[in-house]
Amino acid sequence: MDIPYRQIRAAYTDDSITVYQAYDPAIAAPAVAAQRFVPPFKRDRMTWIKPSFLWMTYRCGWATKPGQTRVLAIDITRDGFAWALAHSCPSHPDDGMDRATWRRRLRESPVRIQWDPERDPRHDALPYRSIQVGLSGEAVTRYLDEWITSITDVTGRVHEIGRALRDGRDVTGMLPPERPYPVDPA
């Protein structure tokens, strides 16, 4: 399989894309109940969304790391995701990017893009990257008030897949079906 070095892969429909976040139960439970993030979630902090299920499970250690024991699948509008990408800046300058221009753009952009090694089910790094999207300021407000269409607690599924891996089973069929996500080249 020939996978580009940087490619957004996600579960999505015609109208929405699924992103993942892991939280403490004190934030996750009220969010699921309200179907939106409510206090104690803090709007003034950067929040990172991840379209890759396996990268999320890597980040939270199969929902075992302190403060990350509940994994949420958040469906957001594709229009919202497109807005985030259009208003983003890479966390680090790309090769050949003018540093002064990058620094200015970083200060002005409400969205950070980071490309980290994608992971396989055993969390070994793969030779291609997965996108992480950091939202701050206006982007957080839009995310919380406009883009979210549903929030589902998938912690049970995360634990089930983690157990299956420990038992030596093939978990391929248990994973969410992620495929290349189409983006406007601009």
Side-chain angles (χ1 to χ4, degrees):
M1 184 182 324
D2 193 21
I3 298 174
Y5 184 66
R6 289 182 177 174
Q7 179 185 61
I8 300 171
R9 289 168 301 281
Y12 61 92
T13 68
D14 289 342
D15 302 314
S16 66
I17 177 172
T18 301
V19 296
Y20 300 94
Q21 294 187 279
Y23 287 106
D24 185 87
I27 291 174
V32 172
Q35 286 297 289
R36 57 194 277 287
F37 286 97
V38 295
F41 182 91
K42 292 184 178 14
R43 288 176 170 260
D44 57 347
R45 294 183 53 191
M46 180 170 276
T47 189
W48 289 86
I49 57 176
K50 300 149 186 76
S52 168
F53 179 81
L54 285 174
W55 204 93
M56 181 71 262
T57 63
Y58 164 73
R59 178 71 177 87
C60 70
W62 293 105
T64 62
K65 290 184 179 177
Q68 299 180 46
T69 58
R70 298 280 294 275
V71 178
L72 304 180
I74 302 122
D75 289 332
I76 65 172
T77 65
R78 286 182 63 173
D79 287 343
F81 193 69
W83 186 95
L85 296 178
H87 292 83
S88 69
C89 178
S91 290
H92 307 284
D94 288 331
D95 291 339
M97 185 180 276
D98 176 71
R99 288 205 176 265
T101 302
W102 170 76
R103 276 194 223 65
R104 180 181 43 74
R105 190 169 153 206
L106 187 68
R107 279 192 310 274
E108 295 170 357
S109 298
V111 181
R112 304 283 179 274
I113 298 295
Q114 195 165 293
W115 292 94
D116 296 311
E118 180 61 283
R119 301 294 167 156
D120 70 11
R122 298 215 174 273
H123 293 159
D124 294 323
L126 295 170
Y128 48 89
R129 300 291 176 157
S130 181
I131 195 170
Q132 323 308 316
V133 181
L135 308 173
S136 66
E138 178 184 2
V140 171
T141 299
R142 288 174 178 262
Y143 174 63
L144 299 177
D145 298 338
E146 300 171 19
W147 303 346
I148 294 173
T149 61
S150 71
I151 300 175
T152 306
D153 188 330
V154 294
T155 308
R157 184 178 191 183
V158 169
H159 288 160
E160 179 184 4
I161 295 169
R163 278 191 303 276
L165 275 170
R166 286 190 298 280
D167 292 343
R169 297 190 346 239
D170 179 7
V171 299
T172 306
M174 300 172 76
L175 300 173
E178 295 175 353
R179 55 197 164 115
Y181 186 81
V183 294
D184 181 338

